Amino acid sequence: MRIVVDEAGDYLDAAARIWAEATSARDNDDEVPPIELSRPIMRRVLNASPRAFLLMVLDEDERPVAFAAIGPVAEN
């Protein structure tokens, strides 16, 4: 496994796909929603700050298997 810091958003669709699949599994939904529904969620996190980025976990075959969307939290 390898971890990639994706500041350019090259793995945006992969993260959106993983999000959609995980959400379906969590909700016991047999149908995975289309990527067009989860992509805006990923974009919203990444566009919230110039310091936001994706951490992608790639398997031995360089396929994305997990991610974290990272962004700073606003101070109150």
Side-chain angles (χ1 to χ4, degrees):
M1 297 237 184
R2 179 168 79 94
I3 296 175
V4 175
V5 177
D6 179 21
E7 295 180 84
D10 294 333
Y11 288 95
L12 178 73
D13 282 355
R17 189 172 303 107
I18 292 168
W19 176 272
E21 292 171 0
T23 301
S24 292
R26 179 199 65 199
D27 296 342
N28 294 317
D29 191 350
D30 293 334
E31 202 169 309
V32 176
I35 195 170
E36 290 79 18
L37 296 178
S38 56
R39 189 182 293 128
I41 296 167
M42 297 297 112
R43 280 201 179 123
R44 195 167 32 250
V45 171
L46 296 174
N47 290 338
S49 168
R51 296 182 351 207
F53 59 93
L54 287 173
L55 280 182
M56 296 301 301
V57 179
L58 307 179
D59 69 9
E60 297 82 17
D61 296 321
E62 295 292 304
R63 291 180 303 223
V65 294
F67 79 95
I70 311 282
V73 175
E75 292 185 34
N76 293 333

